Amino acid sequence: MQIIRSVDELIGYVAMQKNHHHEIGFVPTMGALHAGHISLVERAVSDSDVTIVSVFVNPTQFNNPTDLATYPRDEESDFKLLAGAGVSAVFAPSVEEMYPSGTASDHVFELGTAAEVMEGKYRPGHFQGVAQVVKRLFELVRPDKAYFGEKDFQQIAVIRNMVKSEHIDVEIVACPIKRADDGLALSSRNQLLTAEQRRRAPEIHSALAWSVEYSRDHSVRATHDSVVERIDAVPEMKVEYFEIVDARTLLPVEEWDESPEIVGCITVYNGKVRLIDNIRYR
Ligand code: PAF
């Protein structure tokens, strides 16, 4: 596996692959890799001639400096996992390499209403930062397909909108959430949980899974409230938002028959650690 630190080297590497008409699969990550990331990588490796993974903690998508400072990093272990999964090259640049003229940008991406709700509301500027880095990565890596995990359900919708508005020719592949045996959605942030918080964390998925059954004979409002009540009753846990939305527009629904595809998206503070998850109702 080639480890690439500079933009120039990446451009050369990609040009060589394009000359050989190799299909490029791309998995953008912020490192602290776990089995969820590896499932995306494995999908890319099986679909493509060449798989490139980026490991870059993008400062422009963090609206909270403490969150950026405490974001877990372990490059050595990341590279080992990626090499073992059959990755062709990893791009792990510094912030200066990614943003040679600084991180500030005048460009406002058109991300649609999908970027204004939920994470867009609670993390102002987050999706502009995600769009900024993903666009730059797509321009450098020039992938045929790029793989994203459905744990960040809203991020996938926003990236699809960005790709459309910026006229980027890439197929966005959404991959299912990977969970621990006890149901907790795998996330780099899980490493930040204390033993006690980790023990309680599966309650998020349990409540969501239980609510799918509950929703069959209860209203959207009652389903929503019962999930929030159940999770808020767990010590140290507080729901930041839980929204039951149309899976395509991400706008809230009030009735179950309003849309053929409905998903519940949740963000929970478990102590100081912000965890997200989602569940399909329809
Ligand atoms: O999902 C993530 O890890 C990040 O938002 C991404 C897509 C790698 C952009 O920094």
Side-chain angles (χ1 to χ4, degrees):
M1 182 179 79
Q2 197 160 326
I3 296 174
I4 300 176
R5 299 280 182 189
S6 81
V7 163
D8 285 349
E9 196 189 340
L10 178 62
I11 290 172
Y13 181 85
V14 168
M16 194 174 69
Q17 304 309 327
K18 296 279 176 190
N19 285 342
H20 287 95
H21 304 287
H22 286 160
E23 276 219 351
I24 299 180
F26 177 47
V27 184
T29 81
M30 296 206 298
L33 302 180
H34 49 69
H37 294 111
I38 298 307
S39 72
L40 307 183
V41 169
E42 283 168 351
R43 176 88 188 268
V45 168
S46 83
D47 284 358
S48 331
D49 299 314
V50 162
T51 298
I52 301 178
V53 175
S54 61
V55 172
F56 178 65
V57 181
N58 173 38
T60 71
Q61 70 189 74
F62 285 81
N63 55 322
N64 173 346
T66 316
D67 192 21
L68 173 60
T70 55
Y71 198 82
R73 298 166 202 241
D74 189 348
E75 206 178 71
E76 203 181 311
S77 141
D78 290 346
F79 290 177
K80 239 188 239 161
L81 282 171
L82 294 175
V87 166
S88 321
V90 57
F91 177 51
S94 65
V95 173
E96 295 70 31
E97 189 65 25
M98 272 302 275
Y99 299 114
S101 337
T103 50
S105 164
D106 293 340
H107 184 70
V108 179
F109 289 91
E110 280 173 40
L111 304 174
T113 47
E116 285 161 23
V117 294
M118 301 189 286
E119 292 296 280
K121 202 156 83 192
Y122 286 88
R123 300 182 73 188
H126 168 66
F127 284 128
Q128 287 294 324
V130 170
Q132 180 189 19
V133 75
V134 172
K135 181 179 183 216
R136 177 142 171 79
L137 289 166
F138 281 176
E139 282 171 350
L140 297 172
V141 175
R142 297 196 277 147
D144 297 282
K145 292 183 182 172
Y147 299 79
F148 294 87
E150 282 186 332
K151 181 175 73 66
D152 297 297
F153 191 83
Q154 187 177 6
Q155 173 170 270
I156 297 180
V158 171
I159 288 173
R160 286 192 202 281
N161 289 349
M162 184 277 281
V163 160
K164 209 165 168 195
S165 66
E166 299 287 324
H167 310 289
I168 302 173
D169 185 15
V170 60
E171 184 185 335
I172 304 298
V173 183
C175 303
I177 301 179
K178 271 269 173 196
R179 298 186 179 280
D181 290 345
D182 57 14
L184 177 64
L186 296 186
S187 163
S188 304
R189 292 174 196 273
N190 293 349
Q191 292 182 29
L192 303 172
L193 298 170
T194 64
E196 195 57 16
Q197 290 164 351
R198 173 64 188 81
R199 201 182 55 71
R200 294 175 184 140
E203 182 57 18
I204 301 170
H205 177 61
S206 304
L208 291 176
W210 164 85
S211 77
V212 174
E213 276 307 307
Y214 185 84
S215 72
R216 301 200 197 289
D217 46 13
H218 291 84
S219 67
V220 171
R221 174 52 48 197
T223 304
H224 169 276
D225 291 353
S226 60
V227 166
V228 174
E229 204 176 298
R230 191 170 151 170
I231 296 177
D232 279 351
V234 179
E236 290 197 78
M237 281 204 200
K238 178 84 194 134
V239 173
E240 184 174 47
Y241 66 77
F242 176 48
E243 297 208 6
I244 298 178
V245 300
D246 179 305
R248 291 156 307 178
T249 62
L250 301 190
L251 297 176
V253 297
E254 278 168 20
E255 307 291 339
W256 293 117
D257 60 9
E258 237 172 76
S259 165
E261 287 189 58
I262 296 182
V263 63
C265 297
I266 197 161
T267 295
V268 178
Y269 273 98
N270 187 354
K272 288 197 163 59
V273 186
R274 190 173 184 273
L275 300 177
I276 73 174
D277 203 346
N278 61 74
I279 197 102
R280 274 268 169 186
Y281 289 102
R282 300 279 185 276

